Amino acid sequence: MTNLPLLAIGFANPFLLWGLAAAAVPLVLHLLNRRRYREESWAAMRFLLAAIRKNQRRIRLEHWLLLAVRTLLVVCVVLALAQPFLESIGAVPLLAGKRTHRVIVLDGTMSMNHASAERSRFARAAEYADAYIQGARNGDAISVLILGNPPKVVIGAPSPNHGEVREELKQLQPTHGKADLDATFTKLREVLATSDIPQKEVLFLSDLQAATWQVDPEWEAALKRNIAALEEARANCVVVDLGDTSRSNRAVVDLALDAPIVVRDGPPVVITARLANFGPDVETGVGAQLVIDGRLGPERRVDLPPGQVVPVAFSYRFEDPGDHVVEVRIDEDRLAVDDVRRLTVPVRESLEVLLVNGDYNPEPFQSETDYLAQALSPSEGSDRTPSPITVEVVTESQLTRRDLERYDVIFLCNVARFSRGEIDAIDRFLRRGGGVVLFGGDRVQADEYNANLLAGIPGSETFDGPGFLPARFGDVSSSGDEIGEQLAGAPEFDPLDFNHPIISIYQGAAAQVISGLTAVRTWRSHDLILPEGSTARRVLNFTDGRPAMLAMDRHRGTVIQVATTADDDWTTWPLHPSYPPVLEQMTYAAASGRMAQRNVVVGQALDQAIDTNTLNASASVLRPDGREEPGRLADEGDGARFLFDGTDLSGVYMARVGPPVAREMTFSVNPEPIESDLSRVDASTLSVLFPRWTFSNWDGGPVDRSEAAAVGRRGELHRGLLMLVLGLLLGESTLAWWLGNRR
């Protein structure tokens, strides 16, 4: 990247330029020495005059040459004392010889792990920074930041001890995360503000990856404010580009199971990895291997076209309960961090489901939850495969006395209303990753639901309240009173192209199978009115366009709202073959929040709900690099949350809580796919954002330590002038001796 700035010359001590008048001294002396002589004729005069006429031009030229050297010597001495410097128009100059607060900002994002000639970009950045510190003057103070998300202040208060700063640099390692440029500039301003040294310089060492430096329009205004603040602080900013033109990189950008919940001895699950080629050339025969808990599994060979994502599928059956780590690895390239992706899979003995019956009836299949209980957990003697779901049924009045933490999913079926205590308990249940499913019915008091349960919209004042209802309950729509009229005019289910995971099991199925879902008739249903800005997704519609089923993430859990009943009072659905499989998938989807807590991206905190009796326990985390760090437990009133923020590396994190109650949890942390794209930011973008900054390129070879040491003094001219003075002194003496001997 090459910038061609307009240049100007300034002076650190311009008042010393008056000394240029001393350049007239040699000329004055020369003129004074031109004395007039009285002319006298004598015999040999004609021979002397002939010799003078012959050599007069040479002698005059020699005199003028000596005069020019002596005058230039004086001029150079005066200019060197005035300390001239070359600067870009509008840039902030550094005044030579003055104490400077130097801030080194190292790019610590994942792309800086890219290796060339067995050295990573970050290693080159650290070497460059070391040479830069060695080139700093005695008295200069140095701070160090890491560009990341979040940014890290390594040395905040400016340190004049350059040796200690260099030792600190040796300990630094890049992260596996992305960058927050705006947050880094905010931290940079805070660091600059800690120093009262008026002269400041900021050195950025980065590969200028587009993912880091490409400005998002959403925060461009905030970034420009930070840049303007840096200019107000009179900070001279220099960016050294340590990247290269290579874009070749392949990565595992996604890893997922076809089941949101995995149970012991259940059917085999399909593990799908998505491989991407970010380079310009085809990658042929790339190996992809499945690894389960460190044990090597099957391997596939695939071709990766440029700019495309290729799925690779494996099948595996989990036989043991507990946490399992699934990995897919591909052949290593220069950026090895993204050549493996991990997934923590908590395998359950069974799923615990609570059914809250709002319309109890002792007669078989007359109660609100009878069909639902049979669909989720078939009774003995049924021709259906035994289900891993364990069901417990309670009445509406018994809900208050239940400890909700022991369940994975709660079904609220035709419940009239909820007390404030029940609302708070369900909200805490969602915060811990549990799932809630609400069915409508004739006992539902819509006004109570809408007033007390409606969830807030992200960004609104009520978002953090206890409400968890995705949509407002409107009027009850009815197609008729007589059975014949009800079935004839009742709307059916519209599966919306089977896009939602709950009903994606019907994708590609035979028409006869699909009809088990689409032929369902519903003659009575609530109108579900979505608030503007709602994040709820439609799972099913009615054929008249109204929502039939909605799903929404709430805290760490999931809420599903159904417009009709769980029994056959309003719909024929419980009598159709689609009812058991869809309800099972609905249960898995609602319970998936607890598995999602175990899989995060780099920079995202580990956040897991734990048992209430561990509030006073110790907590620690074993990181992928082998270091053990403390975790923390946050009190949530009737429970606790395990929290850990130091997820700057991808890999497996082992959390331990206890004693007194010992518990281990496994988390998988993966890099964000955008960091695998090594595309570089466009030069025009940088010139618009940072018009007064200085940009310097790395040539791809070893770091030039002398250049790095001088990067902060670029534009200084007095050092060259002093060298010229020394040369002129030697030259003047030599020239005078030579001319004298020659004469």
Side-chain angles (χ1 to χ4, degrees):
M1 186 177 302
T2 303
N3 289 342
L4 299 175
L6 296 175
L7 299 178
I9 293 179
F11 294 90
N13 301 309
F15 61 91
L16 291 179
L17 292 177
W18 288 103
L20 289 175
V25 172
L27 180 61
V28 171
L29 292 176
H30 175 77
L31 294 175
L32 290 176
N33 285 330
R34 294 185 62 184
R35 300 171 60 188
R36 294 184 176 275
Y37 296 92
R38 182 168 57 88
E39 295 184 1
E40 292 286 346
S41 296
W42 53 290
M45 180 63 68
R46 65 178 182 271
F47 300 107
L48 182 59
L49 289 175
I52 290 175
R53 292 189 190 100
K54 180 179 179 181
N55 298 305
Q56 185 176 19
R57 181 177 297 178
R58 179 179 59 81
I59 294 172
R60 186 177 298 168
L61 181 62
E62 290 174 353
H63 286 175
W64 281 112
L65 181 60
L66 277 173
L67 179 63
V69 170
R70 290 162 180 167
T71 303
L72 183 60
L73 180 62
V74 174
V75 169
C76 288
V77 170
V78 173
L79 289 178
L81 292 175
Q83 294 186 334
F85 52 86
L86 196 65
E87 58 174 319
S88 299
I89 296 297
V92 179
L94 288 184
L95 303 184
K98 291 194 174 181
R99 192 180 183 210
T100 305
H101 179 196
R102 303 182 185 272
V103 183
I104 303 173
V105 182
L106 290 93
D107 188 339
T109 58
M110 188 183 79
S111 63
M112 294 293 286
N113 290 274
H114 186 275
S116 177
E118 298 184 354
R119 284 179 63 78
S120 69
R121 294 175 178 176
F122 190 85
R124 291 196 296 269
E127 183 180 355
Y128 199 105
D130 183 79
Y132 173 76
I133 294 172
Q134 285 186 293
R137 304 179 184 87
N138 291 333
D140 285 354
I142 298 172
S143 300
V144 180
L145 276 74
I146 296 292
L147 172 61
N149 184 21
K152 179 181 179 182
V153 178
V154 180
I155 300 176
S159 172
N161 192 326
H162 297 178
E164 288 186 359
V165 176
R166 293 176 63 196
E167 287 299 318
E168 191 73 32
L169 277 176
K170 294 178 182 179
Q171 309 301 320
L172 297 181
Q173 295 294 330
T175 71
H176 297 168
K178 61 181 183 179
D180 187 335
L181 200 61
D182 185 54
T184 301
F185 283 164
T186 301
K187 285 290 184 184
L188 175 58
R189 289 170 53 195
E190 294 174 1
V191 169
L192 290 173
T194 62
S195 168
D196 57 359
I197 303 174
Q199 184 159 270
K200 305 176 188 297
E201 179 172 74
V202 182
L203 176 68
F204 290 88
L205 301 172
S206 173
D207 59 359
L208 297 185
Q209 184 192 19
T212 298
W213 293 86
Q214 197 73 42
V215 177
D216 189 327
E218 293 184 2
W219 50 268
E220 182 175 359
L223 180 62
K224 288 183 176 179
R225 285 194 297 270
N226 273 319
I227 295 172
L230 287 177
E231 294 178 356
E232 290 177 6
R234 303 285 294 170
N236 179 54
C237 297
V238 180
V239 180
V240 178
D241 179 6
L242 293 171
D244 51 50
T245 57
S246 173
R247 289 181 49 200
S248 177
N249 185 45
R250 54 179 179 263
V252 186
V253 295
D254 189 37
L255 186 62
L257 308 183
D258 67 340
I261 292 293
V262 180
V263 293
R264 176 185 180 184
D265 293 330
V269 297
V270 177
I271 303 167
T272 303
R274 293 168 61 84
L275 316 183
N277 178 10
F278 294 95
D281 303 317
V282 177
E283 300 274 357
T284 59
V286 177
Q289 188 167 40
L290 178 68
V291 181
I292 305 291
D293 296 329
R295 298 189 300 271
L296 299 181
E299 184 177 6
R300 307 274 191 272
R301 290 282 172 181
V302 295
D303 294 338
L304 301 179
Q308 295 189 25
V309 177
V310 177
V312 179
F314 302 90
S315 180
Y316 188 81
R317 182 180 181 185
F318 293 91
E319 298 178 350
D320 301 316
D323 290 347
H324 297 267
V325 178
V326 177
E327 300 179 35
V328 170
R329 304 173 183 172
I330 61 174
D331 298 337
E332 270 194 16
D333 55 14
R334 291 185 177 182
L335 186 58
V337 175
D338 57 8
D339 294 334
V340 58
R341 202 165 188 88
R342 302 168 182 87
L343 190 67
T344 295
V345 181
V347 177
R348 308 290 302 276
E349 286 278 7
S350 63
L351 284 184
E352 302 292 331
V353 174
L354 178 67
L355 307 183
V356 182
N357 190 337
D359 187 13
Y360 176 74
N361 191 320
E363 295 296 323
F365 294 100
Q366 296 300 310
S367 195
E368 195 72 32
T369 57
D370 288 348
Y371 285 103
L372 185 55
Q374 182 65 21
L376 295 177
S377 184
S379 58
E380 293 186 11
S382 171
D383 57 355
R384 287 178 50 208
T385 304
S387 172
I389 299 174
T390 301
V391 169
E392 180 181 352
V393 181
V394 298
T395 62
E396 180 178 343
S397 61
Q398 295 172 322
L399 175 61
T400 305
R401 298 191 293 272
R402 284 293 182 273
D403 177 13
L404 302 185
E405 299 308 317
R406 52 176 289 219
Y407 303 103
D408 298 292
V409 182
I410 303 171
F411 281 79
L412 305 172
C413 305
N414 200 12
V415 176
R417 60 187 302 276
F418 298 91
S419 67
R420 176 52 57 184
E422 291 169 339
I423 294 173
D424 291 338
I426 294 173
D427 187 70
R428 287 193 298 271
F429 177 71
L430 288 166
R431 290 181 183 275
R432 293 172 177 272
V436 174
V437 181
L438 296 106
F439 279 91
D442 56 1
R443 289 176 50 82
V444 169
Q445 298 179 22
D447 292 341
E448 289 282 340
Y449 273 69
N450 296 336
N452 300 318
L453 298 184
L454 195 65
I457 306 302
S460 70
E461 297 179 355
T462 60
F463 181 64
D464 290 328
F468 51 83
L469 193 66
R472 184 184 303 275
F473 275 115
D475 296 333
V476 175
S477 296
S478 178
S479 62
D481 296 327
E482 299 295 332
I483 294 296
E485 294 178 7
Q486 291 171 346
L487 294 179
E492 299 174 336
F493 281 154
D494 176 3
L496 302 174
D497 296 327
F498 310 103
N499 288 327
H500 197 278
I502 291 177
I503 56 172
S504 61
I505 55 175
Y506 283 93
Q507 283 184 348
Q512 184 178 1
V513 175
I514 294 176
S515 67
L517 177 66
T518 57
V520 170
R521 297 277 186 168
T522 302
W523 56 90
R524 296 193 73 189
S525 60
H526 297 277
D527 288 336
L528 303 183
I529 304 170
L530 282 168
E532 184 178 354
S534 172
T535 59
R537 288 183 60 189
R538 298 190 183 214
V539 181
L540 287 171
N541 264 5
F542 292 118
T543 49
D544 58 11
R546 294 179 300 117
M549 186 187 301
L550 300 170
M552 180 187 72
D553 294 334
R554 180 63 172 166
H555 304 309
R556 290 183 292 276
T558 301
V559 181
I560 299 172
Q561 184 177 4
V562 185
T564 188
T565 57
D567 62 4
D568 60 353
D569 284 351
W570 289 7
T571 178
T572 63
W573 193 19
L575 308 176
H576 283 259
S578 64
Y579 192 70
V582 172
L583 264 294
E584 185 177 64
Q585 292 301 314
M586 189 188 302
T587 303
Y588 289 158
S592 62
R594 292 188 171 174
M595 180 173 137
Q597 295 178 71
R598 301 298 188 89
N599 298 281
V600 299
V601 297
V602 172
Q604 182 180 348
L606 306 183
D607 189 344
Q608 174 74 53
I610 57 177
D611 298 335
T612 57
N613 55 5
T614 56
L615 285 174
N616 298 320
S618 61
S620 63
V621 175
L622 183 64
R623 292 164 41 94
D625 56 6
R627 291 190 291 120
E628 188 167 0
E629 294 186 1
R632 59 191 177 93
L633 300 177
D635 190 351
E636 289 195 329
D638 63 343
R641 289 164 56 195
F642 170 81
L643 298 169
F644 180 73
D645 298 325
T647 58
D648 56 339
L649 301 179
S650 62
V652 176
Y653 289 71
M654 296 293 301
R656 298 184 179 93
V657 177
V661 177
R663 180 177 179 183
E664 290 190 355
M665 296 171 288
T666 305
F667 298 85
S668 289
V669 179
N670 291 295
E672 295 209 35
I674 190 174
E675 279 294 309
S676 297
D677 188 351
L678 300 181
S679 300
R680 291 159 55 78
V681 68
D682 184 71
S684 61
T685 301
L686 295 179
S687 63
V688 171
L689 276 176
F690 315 106
R692 295 180 177 86
W693 288 21
T694 302
F695 288 86
S696 176
N697 287 343
W698 170 66
D699 60 7
V703 171
D704 188 335
R705 297 186 67 86
S706 61
E707 178 185 351
V711 69
R713 300 196 300 268
R714 287 182 179 175
E716 292 182 354
L717 301 179
H718 71 282
R719 296 172 185 271
L721 288 172
L722 290 175
M723 295 298 295
L724 182 58
V725 166
L726 179 61
L728 289 173
L729 284 172
L730 295 175
E732 190 274 343
S733 300
T734 303
L735 183 62
W737 170 82
W738 180 72
L739 293 177
N741 285 344
R742 186 179 178 191
R743 292 171 190 166

